[in-house]
Amino acid sequence: MQTQPVSAHPQSLTLRPRRSKWQQWIVPPARFSNALKDAIVWIAAAVVLRLGVRWLIVALPALWPIAALIVMAPALSAAYLASRFPRLSLVLGYRSLLILLGLMLGGKL
């Protein structure tokens, strides 16, 4: 009497690490030109966010607590992701620095 494997698919016998959506999204660019474009995009997005928040506060001053949470959201999300995925903390730190630089530049405009 022969015993047969439980599964005929060899892929089911190997375990692949699960990648979350955050891990796929937060991947550093490999080339310098791509890294430069990435940095410009993150800084520009943060500047636009800061100018939008300033406009929101001017238009509706009662919403300043929500605006403050919007400005703090990048730092809070970076802290959360660094605690969940410690291997990505260098990338998170780099992008958080870019976002904070953009928020600072947006505040000076």
Side-chain angles (χ1 to χ4, degrees):
M1 180 180 230
Q2 290 182 336
T3 59
Q4 294 182 357
V6 176
S7 175
H9 299 293
Q11 294 173 349
S12 64
L13 299 176
T14 60
L15 296 176
R16 284 187 235 154
R18 291 184 61 188
R19 296 187 108 195
S20 71
K21 292 178 184 178
W22 287 106
Q23 286 175 324
Q24 294 171 357
W25 184 67
I26 305 176
V27 175
R31 297 177 49 180
F32 177 74
S33 62
N34 292 342
L36 186 61
K37 290 176 190 175
D38 185 59
I40 291 170
V41 166
W42 282 100
I43 291 173
V47 168
V48 169
L49 176 72
R50 180 68 167 99
L51 293 175
V53 166
R54 182 187 302 167
W55 176 81
L56 180 68
I57 292 174
V58 169
L60 300 165
L63 294 179
W64 73 266
I66 295 172
L69 284 175
I70 291 171
V71 172
M72 289 188 309
L76 294 173
S77 64
Y80 169 75
L81 289 173
S83 67
R84 293 277 301 170
F85 309 110
R87 284 193 247 157
L88 298 176
S89 62
L90 183 61
V91 175
L92 289 172
Y94 165 71
R95 292 207 174 140
S96 296
L97 179 68
L98 293 175
I99 291 171
L100 292 176
L101 180 66
L103 289 174
M104 185 181 72
L105 289 174
K108 298 291 181 183
L109 293 178

